[in-house]
Amino acid sequence: GENVEQHPSTLSVQEGDSAVIKCTYSDSASNYFPWYKQELGKRPQLIIDIRSNVGEKKDQRIAVTLNKTAKHFSLHITETQPEDSAVYFCAATSNNNDMRFGAGTRLTVKP
Amino acid sequence: DAGITQSPRYKITETGRQVTLMCHQTWSHSYMFWYRQDLGHGLRLIYYSAAADITDKGEVSDGYVVSRSKTENFPLTLESATRSQTSVYFCASSAYRDSTDTQYFGPGTRLTVL
């Protein structure tokens, strides 16, 4: 089955700086890559996703890039704000209803 | 987000007892999922259901049972709870025919097995 690795496990940045979280996956058939944000004690919420026919997607300060050849995808947050502090999860899946999640990255944005 | 709910939100039980966690969604989503979340493991799929009366195992299904007699409900039962099943459990749902669509998560149930 799919195996997703996520790095780093913790990330601390200064407010206004950029943050980058990277994930690799093992199953070349995976074609959907969502990113979830989870605040302390809350449910995971989708912040952005990308499909395998697209190399990059951007939504305001958040962007995701996908390199299918290398089987890795990354989340980029620019101009970070304290409210971006949370745990971020990447995930990967093919059309088999078996979404595999990375172990998570705890992002801390220092004011 | 209010369209998917879980109950109870917190549960403490003892080893060997049967426990049922409830999940209810009002969107008429065809797909529903159960995950457990443990520190260092992210979210792991326990079971999923493509429609009423259709269920299938996920990555960590041992010790769990599900049913789906109605589209809107997807209860998860721990037949004989063990301490290793102490976790936060999330239910999720999605609308389309495969999992390449947004999954919406419920608020979670924190289960402690003593």
Side-chain angles (χ1 to χ4, degrees), chain B residues 16-90:
Chain B
R17 290 188 180 262
Q18 184 178 81
V19 177
T20 296
L21 310 183
M22 304 300 294
C23 179
H24 176 78
Q25 52 104 356
T26 60
W27 294 312
S28 298
H29 283 173
S30 55
Y31 276 75
M32 296 187 75
F33 309 83
W34 273 106
Y35 293 91
R36 60 177 289 173
Q37 184 174 36
D38 305 290
L39 198 63
H41 287 280
L43 290 143
R44 291 182 292 176
L45 182 67
I46 304 171
Y47 267 97
Y48 69 93
S49 170
D53 298 321
I54 300 175
T55 63
D56 210 343
K57 296 180 178 180
E59 183 185 2
V60 289
S61 61
D62 287 348
Y64 302 95
V65 175
V66 293
S67 63
R68 193 153 176 220
S69 57
K70 293 183 178 181
T71 301
E72 61 267 30
N73 297 323
F74 191 37
L76 174 73
T77 298
L78 289 66
E79 294 187 301
S80 179
T82 65
R83 289 185 179 179
S84 64
Q85 292 177 311
T86 292
S87 187
V88 179
Y89 291 85
F90 286 99

Coordinates of all heavy atoms in Angstrom, one line a residue, chain B residues 16-90:
Chain B
G16 N -12.0 -4.7 27.8 CA -12.9 -5.8 27.7 C -14.4 -5.4 27.4 O -15.2 -6.2 27.0
R17 N -14.7 -4.1 27.6 CA -16.0 -3.7 27.4 C -16.3 -3.3 25.9 O -15.3 -3.0 25.2 CB -16.3 -2.4 28.2 CG -16.4 -2.7 29.7 CD -16.9 -1.5 30.5 NE -17.0 -1.8 31.9 CZ -18.1 -2.1 32.5 NH1 -19.2 -2.2 31.9 NH2 -18.1 -2.3 33.8
Q18 N -17.5 -3.4 25.5 CA -17.9 -3.0 24.2 C -18.2 -1.6 24.2 O -18.9 -1.0 25.1 CB -19.1 -3.8 23.7 CG -19.5 -3.5 22.3 CD -20.7 -4.4 21.8 OE1 -21.8 -4.1 22.1 NE2 -20.4 -5.5 21.1
V19 N -17.7 -0.9 23.1 CA -18.0 0.6 23.0 C -18.4 0.9 21.6 O -17.8 0.3 20.7 CB -16.7 1.4 23.3 CG1 -16.9 2.8 23.1 CG2 -16.2 1.1 24.7
T20 N -19.4 1.7 21.4 CA -19.8 2.1 20.1 C -19.7 3.6 20.0 O -20.2 4.4 20.8 CB -21.3 1.7 19.8 OG1 -21.3 0.3 19.8 CG2 -21.7 2.2 18.5
L21 N -19.0 4.1 18.9 CA -18.9 5.5 18.6 C -19.8 5.8 17.4 O -19.8 5.0 16.5 CB -17.5 5.8 18.3 CG -16.4 5.3 19.3 CD1 -15.0 5.8 18.8 CD2 -16.7 5.8 20.7
M22 N -20.5 6.9 17.6 CA -21.5 7.2 16.6 C -21.0 8.3 15.6 O -20.3 9.2 16.1 CB -22.8 7.6 17.2 CG -23.4 6.6 18.2 SD -23.8 5.0 17.4 CE -25.1 5.5 16.3
C23 N -21.5 8.2 14.4 CA -21.2 9.3 13.4 C -22.4 9.5 12.6 O -23.0 8.5 12.1 CB -20.0 8.8 12.5 SG -19.6 10.1 11.2
H24 N -22.8 10.8 12.4 CA -24.0 11.1 11.6 C -23.7 12.3 10.7 O -23.1 13.3 11.1 CB -25.1 11.5 12.6 CG -26.3 12.0 12.0 ND1 -27.2 11.1 11.4 CD2 -26.8 13.2 11.8 CE1 -28.2 11.8 10.9 NE2 -28.0 13.1 11.1
Q25 N -24.1 12.2 9.4 CA -23.9 13.3 8.5 C -25.2 13.6 7.8 O -26.0 12.7 7.5 CB -22.8 13.0 7.5 CG -22.9 11.7 6.8 CD -23.4 11.8 5.3 OE1 -23.7 12.9 4.9 NE2 -23.4 10.7 4.6
T26 N -25.4 14.9 7.5 CA -26.6 15.4 7.0 C -26.5 15.7 5.5 O -27.4 16.3 4.9 CB -27.2 16.6 7.8 OG1 -26.2 17.6 7.7 CG2 -27.4 16.2 9.2
W27 N -25.4 15.5 4.9 CA -25.1 15.9 3.5 C -25.6 14.8 2.5 O -25.4 15.1 1.3 CB -23.7 16.2 3.3 CG -23.1 17.4 4.1 CD1 -23.7 18.6 4.1 CD2 -22.0 17.4 4.8 NE1 -22.9 19.4 4.9 CE2 -21.9 18.7 5.4 CE3 -20.9 16.5 5.2 CZ2 -20.8 19.2 6.2 CZ3 -19.9 16.9 6.0 CH2 -19.8 18.2 6.5
S28 N -26.0 13.7 3.0 CA -26.2 12.5 2.1 C -25.0 12.1 1.3 O -25.1 11.6 0.1 CB -27.4 12.9 1.1 OG -28.6 13.1 1.8
H29 N -23.8 12.3 1.9 CA -22.6 11.8 1.2 C -22.6 10.3 1.2 O -23.0 9.6 2.1 CB -21.4 12.3 2.0 CG -21.0 13.7 1.8 ND1 -20.0 14.3 2.6 CD2 -21.5 14.6 1.0 CE1 -19.9 15.6 2.2 NE2 -20.8 15.8 1.2
S30 N -22.1 9.8 0.0 CA -22.2 8.4 -0.2 C -21.0 7.7 0.6 O -21.2 6.6 1.1 CB -22.1 8.0 -1.6 OG -20.9 8.6 -2.2
Y31 N -19.9 8.4 0.7 CA -18.7 7.7 1.3 C -18.6 8.2 2.8 O -18.7 9.4 3.1 CB -17.4 8.1 0.6 CG -17.2 7.1 -0.6 CD1 -17.9 7.2 -1.8 CD2 -16.3 6.1 -0.5 CE1 -17.7 6.4 -2.8 CE2 -16.0 5.2 -1.5 CZ -16.8 5.4 -2.7 OH -16.6 4.5 -3.7
M32 N -18.3 7.3 3.7 CA -17.9 7.6 5.0 C -16.7 6.8 5.5 O -16.5 5.7 5.0 CB -19.1 7.4 6.0 CG -20.3 8.3 5.6 SD -21.7 8.2 6.8 CE -21.0 9.1 8.2
F33 N -16.0 7.4 6.4 CA -14.7 6.8 6.9 C -14.6 6.9 8.4 O -15.1 7.9 9.0 CB -13.5 7.6 6.2 CG -13.6 7.8 4.7 CD1 -14.4 8.8 4.2 CD2 -13.0 6.9 3.9 CE1 -14.5 9.0 2.8 CE2 -13.0 7.1 2.5 CZ -13.8 8.1 2.0
W34 N -13.8 6.0 8.9 CA -13.4 6.1 10.3 C -11.9 6.1 10.4 O -11.2 5.2 9.8 CB -13.9 4.9 11.2 CG -15.3 5.2 11.7 CD1 -16.4 4.6 11.3 CD2 -15.6 6.1 12.8 NE1 -17.5 5.1 12.1 CE2 -17.0 6.0 13.0 CE3 -14.8 6.9 13.7 CZ2 -17.6 6.7 14.0 CZ3 -15.5 7.6 14.6 CH2 -16.9 7.5 14.8
Y35 N -11.3 7.1 11.1 CA -9.8 7.1 11.3 C -9.6 7.1 12.8 O -10.4 7.6 13.6 CB -9.3 8.4 10.7 CG -9.3 8.5 9.2 CD1 -10.4 9.1 8.6 CD2 -8.3 8.1 8.4 CE1 -10.5 9.3 7.2 CE2 -8.3 8.2 7.0 CZ -9.4 8.8 6.4 OH -9.4 8.9 5.1
R36 N -8.4 6.7 13.2 CA -7.9 7.0 14.5 C -6.6 7.8 14.4 O -5.8 7.7 13.4 CB -7.6 5.7 15.3 CG -6.6 4.7 14.7 CD -6.4 3.5 15.6 NE -5.6 3.9 16.8 CZ -5.4 3.0 17.8 NH1 -5.9 1.8 17.7 NH2 -4.8 3.4 18.9
Q37 N -6.4 8.7 15.4 CA -5.3 9.6 15.4 C -4.5 9.4 16.6 O -5.0 9.6 17.7 CB -5.7 11.0 15.3 CG -4.5 12.0 15.2 CD -5.0 13.4 14.9 OE1 -6.0 13.9 15.4 NE2 -4.2 14.1 14.1
D38 N -3.2 9.0 16.4 CA -2.3 8.8 17.5 C -1.0 9.6 17.3 O -0.6 9.7 16.1 CB -1.9 7.3 17.6 CG -3.1 6.4 17.8 OD1 -3.8 6.4 18.8 OD2 -3.5 5.7 16.8
L39 N -0.4 10.0 18.4 CA 0.7 10.9 18.2 C 1.8 10.1 17.4 O 2.1 9.0 17.7 CB 1.3 11.2 19.6 CG 2.2 12.4 19.7 CD1 1.5 13.7 19.3 CD2 2.7 12.5 21.1
G40 N 2.4 10.8 16.4 CA 3.4 10.2 15.6 C 3.0 9.4 14.5 O 3.8 8.9 13.7
H41 N 1.6 9.1 14.4 CA 1.1 8.3 13.3 C 0.2 9.0 12.4 O -0.3 8.5 11.4 CB 0.4 7.1 13.9 CG 1.3 6.1 14.5 ND1 2.0 5.1 13.7 CD2 1.6 5.8 15.8 CE1 2.7 4.4 14.5 NE2 2.5 4.8 15.8
G42 N -0.1 10.2 12.6 CA -1.1 10.9 11.8 C -2.4 10.3 11.9 O -2.8 9.8 13.0
L43 N -3.1 10.2 10.8 CA -4.5 9.6 10.8 C -4.4 8.3 10.1 O -3.8 8.2 9.0 CB -5.4 10.5 10.1 CG -5.8 11.8 10.8 CD1 -5.9 13.0 9.9 CD2 -7.1 11.6 11.6
R44 N -5.0 7.2 10.6 CA -4.9 5.9 10.0 C -6.4 5.4 9.8 O -7.2 5.5 10.7 CB -4.1 4.9 10.8 CG -2.6 5.2 10.9 CD -1.9 4.2 11.7 NE -2.2 4.3 13.1 CZ -1.7 3.5 14.0 NH1 -0.9 2.5 13.6 NH2 -2.0 3.6 15.3
L45 N -6.6 4.9 8.6 CA -8.0 4.5 8.2 C -8.3 3.2 8.9 O -7.5 2.2 8.8 CB -8.1 4.4 6.7 CG -9.4 4.0 6.2 CD1 -10.5 5.1 6.4 CD2 -9.3 3.7 4.7
I46 N -9.5 3.1 9.5 CA -9.9 1.9 10.2 C -10.9 1.1 9.3 O -10.7 0.0 9.0 CB -10.7 2.2 11.5 CG1 -9.7 3.0 12.4 CG2 -11.1 0.9 12.2 CD1 -10.5 3.6 13.7
Y47 N -11.9 1.8 8.8 CA -12.9 1.3 7.9 C -13.5 2.4 7.1 O -13.4 3.5 7.5 CB -14.1 0.7 8.7 CG -14.0 -0.8 9.0 CD1 -13.5 -1.2 10.2 CD2 -14.4 -1.8 8.1 CE1 -13.4 -2.6 10.5 CE2 -14.3 -3.1 8.4 CZ -13.8 -3.5 9.6 OH -13.8 -4.9 9.9
Y48 N -14.0 2.0 5.9 CA -14.7 3.0 5.1 C -16.0 2.3 4.5 O -16.1 1.1 4.5 CB -13.9 3.6 4.0 CG -13.5 2.6 2.9 CD1 -14.2 2.5 1.7 CD2 -12.3 1.9 3.0 CE1 -13.9 1.6 0.7 CE2 -11.9 1.0 2.0 CZ -12.7 0.9 0.8 OH -12.3 0.1 -0.2
S49 N -16.9 3.1 4.1 CA -18.1 2.6 3.5 C -18.4 3.4 2.2 O -18.4 4.7 2.3 CB -19.3 2.8 4.5 OG -20.5 2.5 3.9
A50 N -18.7 2.7 1.2 CA -19.0 3.4 -0.1 C -20.5 3.8 -0.2 O -20.9 4.6 -1.0 CB -18.6 2.5 -1.3
A51 N -21.3 3.1 0.5 CA -22.8 3.3 0.5 C -23.4 2.5 1.6 O -22.7 1.7 2.3 CB -23.4 2.9 -0.9
A52 N -24.7 2.6 1.8 CA -25.4 1.8 2.8 C -25.2 0.3 2.5 O -25.2 -0.1 1.3 CB -26.9 2.1 2.8
D53 N -24.9 -0.4 3.5 CA -24.6 -1.9 3.5 C -23.4 -2.3 2.7 O -23.2 -3.5 2.5 CB -25.8 -2.6 2.9 CG -27.1 -2.4 3.7 OD1 -27.0 -2.4 4.9 OD2 -28.2 -2.2 3.1
I54 N -22.5 -1.3 2.4 CA -21.2 -1.6 1.8 C -20.1 -1.1 2.7 O -20.0 0.2 2.8 CB -21.1 -1.0 0.4 CG1 -22.2 -1.6 -0.5 CG2 -19.7 -1.3 -0.2 CD1 -22.3 -0.9 -1.9
T55 N -19.3 -1.9 3.2 CA -18.2 -1.5 4.1 C -16.9 -2.3 3.7 O -17.0 -3.4 3.1 CB -18.5 -1.7 5.6 OG1 -18.6 -3.1 5.8 CG2 -19.7 -1.0 6.0
D56 N -15.8 -1.7 4.0 CA -14.5 -2.4 3.7 C -13.5 -2.0 4.7 O -13.5 -0.9 5.3 CB -14.0 -2.1 2.3 CG -13.2 -3.3 1.7 OD1 -12.8 -4.1 2.5 OD2 -13.1 -3.3 0.5
K57 N -12.5 -2.9 4.9 CA -11.4 -2.6 5.9 C -10.4 -1.6 5.4 O -10.1 -1.5 4.2 CB -10.7 -3.9 6.2 CG -11.6 -5.0 6.9 CD -10.8 -6.3 7.2 CE -11.7 -7.3 7.9 NZ -11.0 -8.5 8.2
G58 N -9.8 -0.9 6.4 CA -8.7 0.0 6.1 C -7.5 -0.6 6.6 O -7.3 -1.8 6.9
E59 N -6.5 0.3 6.9 CA -5.2 -0.1 7.3 C -5.1 -0.8 8.7 O -4.3 -1.7 8.9 CB -4.3 1.2 7.3 CG -2.8 1.0 7.7 CD -2.1 2.3 7.8 OE1 -2.7 3.4 7.6 OE2 -0.9 2.2 8.0
V60 N -6.0 -0.3 9.6 CA -5.9 -0.8 11.0 C -7.3 -1.3 11.5 O -7.8 -0.7 12.5 CB -5.3 0.3 12.0 CG1 -3.9 0.5 11.7 CG2 -6.1 1.6 11.8
S61 N -7.9 -2.3 10.9 CA -9.3 -2.7 11.2 C -9.4 -3.7 12.3 O -10.5 -3.9 12.8 CB -9.9 -3.2 9.9 OG -9.2 -4.3 9.5
D62 N -8.3 -4.4 12.7 CA -8.4 -5.4 13.7 C -9.0 -4.9 15.0 O -8.5 -3.9 15.6 CB -7.1 -6.0 14.0 CG -6.6 -6.9 12.8 OD1 -7.4 -7.2 12.0 OD2 -5.4 -7.3 12.8
G63 N -10.0 -5.6 15.5 CA -10.6 -5.2 16.8 C -11.8 -4.2 16.7 O -12.4 -3.8 17.7
Y64 N -12.1 -3.8 15.5 CA -13.2 -2.9 15.2 C -14.3 -3.5 14.3 O -13.9 -4.4 13.4 CB -12.7 -1.6 14.5 CG -11.6 -0.9 15.3 CD1 -10.3 -1.1 15.0 CD2 -12.0 0.0 16.2 CE1 -9.3 -0.4 15.7 CE2 -11.0 0.7 16.9 CZ -9.7 0.5 16.7 OH -8.7 1.2 17.4
V65 N -15.5 -3.1 14.4 CA -16.6 -3.5 13.6 C -17.4 -2.3 13.2 O -17.6 -1.4 14.0 CB -17.5 -4.5 14.3 CG1 -18.7 -4.9 13.4 CG2 -16.7 -5.8 14.7
V66 N -17.9 -2.3 12.0 CA -18.7 -1.2 11.5 C -20.0 -1.7 10.9 O -20.1 -2.9 10.5 CB -18.0 -0.2 10.5 CG1 -16.9 0.5 11.2 CG2 -17.6 -1.0 9.3
S67 N -21.0 -0.8 10.7 CA -22.2 -1.1 10.0 C -22.7 0.1 9.4 O -22.3 1.2 9.8 CB -23.3 -1.7 11.0 OG -23.6 -0.7 12.0
R68 N -23.5 0.0 8.4 CA -24.1 1.2 7.7 C -25.4 0.8 7.1 O -25.6 0.6 5.9 CB -23.2 1.7 6.6 CG -23.6 3.1 6.2 CD -22.5 3.9 5.7 NE -22.9 5.2 5.2 CZ -22.4 5.8 4.1 NH1 -21.5 5.1 3.3 NH2 -22.9 7.0 3.7
S69 N -26.4 0.8 8.0 CA -27.8 0.4 7.6 C -28.5 1.6 6.9 O -29.4 1.5 6.1 CB -28.6 -0.1 8.7 OG -28.6 0.9 9.8
K70 N -28.0 2.8 7.3 CA -28.6 4.1 6.7 C -27.4 4.9 6.2 O -26.4 4.9 6.8 CB -29.4 4.9 7.7 CG -30.7 4.2 8.2 CD -31.4 5.1 9.1 CE -32.7 4.4 9.6 NZ -33.5 5.3 10.5
T71 N -27.7 5.6 5.1 CA -26.6 6.4 4.5 C -26.0 7.4 5.5 O -24.8 7.7 5.5 CB -27.2 7.2 3.3 OG1 -27.7 6.3 2.3 CG2 -26.1 8.1 2.6
E72 N -26.8 8.0 6.4 CA -26.4 9.1 7.2 C -25.6 8.7 8.5 O -25.0 9.5 9.1 CB -27.6 10.0 7.6 CG -28.6 9.3 8.4 CD -29.8 8.7 7.5 OE1 -29.5 8.4 6.3 OE2 -30.9 8.6 8.0
N73 N -25.7 7.4 8.8 CA -25.0 6.9 10.0 C -24.0 5.8 9.8 O -24.1 5.0 8.9 CB -26.1 6.3 11.0 CG -27.1 7.3 11.4 OD1 -26.8 8.5 11.6 ND2 -28.4 6.9 11.5
F74 N -22.9 5.9 10.5 CA -21.8 5.0 10.3 C -21.2 4.7 11.7 O -20.1 5.2 12.1 CB -20.8 5.6 9.4 CG -19.7 4.6 8.9 CD1 -20.0 3.3 8.6 CD2 -18.4 5.1 8.7 CE1 -19.0 2.4 8.1 CE2 -17.4 4.2 8.2 CZ -17.7 2.9 7.9
P75 N -21.8 3.9 12.5 CA -21.3 3.6 13.9 C -20.0 2.7 13.8 O -19.9 1.8 13.0 CB -22.4 2.9 14.6 CG -23.2 2.3 13.4 CD -23.1 3.2 12.3
L76 N -19.1 2.9 14.8 CA -17.9 2.1 14.9 C -18.0 1.4 16.3 O -18.1 2.1 17.3 CB -16.7 3.0 14.8 CG -15.3 2.4 15.1 CD1 -14.9 1.5 13.9 CD2 -14.2 3.4 15.4
T77 N -17.8 0.1 16.3 CA -17.9 -0.6 17.5 C -16.5 -1.3 17.9 O -15.9 -1.9 17.0 CB -19.0 -1.7 17.5 OG1 -20.2 -1.1 17.3 CG2 -19.0 -2.5 18.8
L78 N -16.1 -1.1 19.1 CA -15.0 -1.8 19.6 C -15.6 -3.0 20.4 O -16.2 -2.8 21.5 CB -14.1 -1.0 20.5 CG -13.3 0.1 19.9 CD1 -14.1 1.2 19.2 CD2 -12.3 0.8 20.9
E79 N -15.4 -4.2 19.9 CA -16.2 -5.3 20.5 C -15.6 -5.7 21.9 O -16.4 -6.0 22.8 CB -16.1 -6.5 19.6 CG -16.8 -6.3 18.3 CD -16.9 -7.6 17.5 OE1 -15.8 -8.1 17.1 OE2 -18.0 -8.0 17.1
S80 N -14.3 -5.6 22.1 CA -13.7 -5.8 23.4 C -12.5 -4.9 23.5 O -11.5 -5.2 23.1 CB -13.3 -7.3 23.5 OG -12.7 -7.5 24.8
A81 N -12.8 -3.7 24.1 CA -11.8 -2.6 24.1 C -10.5 -3.0 24.8 O -10.5 -3.8 25.8 CB -12.4 -1.4 24.8
T82 N -9.4 -2.6 24.2 CA -8.1 -2.8 24.7 C -7.4 -1.4 24.9 O -7.8 -0.4 24.3 CB -7.2 -3.6 23.8 OG1 -7.0 -2.9 22.6 CG2 -7.8 -5.0 23.4
R83 N -6.4 -1.4 25.8 CA -5.7 -0.1 26.0 C -5.1 0.5 24.8 O -5.0 1.7 24.7 CB -4.6 -0.4 27.1 CG -5.2 -0.6 28.5 CD -4.1 -0.7 29.5 NE -4.7 -0.9 30.9 CZ -4.0 -1.1 32.0 NH1 -2.7 -1.0 31.9 NH2 -4.6 -1.3 33.1
S84 N -4.6 -0.4 23.9 CA -4.0 0.1 22.6 C -5.1 0.8 21.7 O -4.7 1.5 20.8 CB -3.4 -1.0 21.9 OG -4.4 -2.0 21.4
Q85 N -6.3 0.7 22.1 CA -7.4 1.4 21.3 C -7.7 2.8 21.9 O -8.5 3.5 21.4 CB -8.6 0.6 21.2 CG -8.4 -0.7 20.4 CD -9.6 -1.6 20.3 OE1 -10.2 -1.9 21.3 NE2 -10.0 -2.0 19.1
T86 N -6.9 3.2 22.9 CA -7.0 4.6 23.4 C -6.5 5.5 22.3 O -5.4 5.3 21.9 CB -6.2 4.7 24.7 OG1 -6.8 4.0 25.8 CG2 -6.1 6.2 25.1
S87 N -7.3 6.4 21.9 CA -7.0 7.2 20.7 C -8.1 8.3 20.6 O -9.1 8.3 21.3 CB -6.9 6.3 19.5 OG -6.4 7.1 18.4
V88 N -7.8 9.2 19.6 CA -8.9 10.1 19.1 C -9.4 9.5 17.8 O -8.6 9.3 16.9 CB -8.3 11.5 18.9 CG1 -9.5 12.4 18.4 CG2 -7.8 12.0 20.2
Y89 N -10.7 9.4 17.7 CA -11.4 8.8 16.6 C -12.1 9.9 15.8 O -12.9 10.6 16.3 CB -12.3 7.7 17.0 CG -11.6 6.5 17.5 CD1 -11.2 6.4 18.9 CD2 -11.3 5.4 16.7 CE1 -10.6 5.3 19.4 CE2 -10.6 4.3 17.2 CZ -10.3 4.3 18.6 OH -9.6 3.2 19.1
F90 N -11.8 9.9 14.5 CA -12.5 10.9 13.6 C -13.3 10.1 12.5 O -12.8 9.2 11.9 CB -11.5 11.8 12.9 CG -10.9 12.8 13.8 CD1 -9.6 12.6 14.3 CD2 -11.5 14.0 14.0 CE1 -9.0 13.6 15.2 CE2 -11.0 15.0 14.8 CZ -9.7 14.8 15.4

